[in-house]
Amino acid sequence: MKHVLMAVLFALSACASSGNQQPLPGSLTYGGKVVSSPYRPGTVVKNTFLGDFGYRVFETYVVQPDGTLRLTSQSTGPDFLWQ
């Protein structure tokens, strides 16, 4: 039982520490594109697109001081909920 609990805790900690988000095909910054924004630094920019297997991808970017976008969060959900 103690080993099962340790394995579950280890698995949960691995999921929580995913690190930096990576842009997907369809992201504003996918493939190393440098996208400049006309908005002020610190502005939050949201992007939504249809990803693999019909899932809707929701992204949040923050405008950096040099005008480029930095991906801060990314999540997916079924597309039929957002039509």
Side-chain angles (χ1 to χ4, degrees), residues 3-81:
H3 295 290
V4 172
L5 180 61
M6 292 298 287
V8 169
L9 289 175
F10 179 73
L12 289 176
S13 67
C15 292
S17 61
S18 62
N20 292 337
Q21 299 287 332
Q22 296 297 320
L24 300 171
S27 295
L28 295 176
T29 57
Y30 178 70
K33 291 189 283 187
V34 177
V35 177
S36 294
S37 173
Y39 301 111
R40 296 182 323 162
T43 302
V44 175
V45 177
K46 296 188 180 223
N47 182 39
T48 304
F49 62 93
L50 193 60
D52 292 338
F53 307 111
Y55 282 95
R56 181 68 57 185
V57 179
F58 303 94
E59 297 180 322
T60 304
Y61 294 89
V62 174
V63 179
Q64 298 300 295
D66 63 354
T68 59
L69 299 175
R70 180 174 53 95
L71 181 62
T72 57
S73 80
Q74 190 177 61
S75 62
T76 59
D79 188 46
F80 65 86
L81 294 176

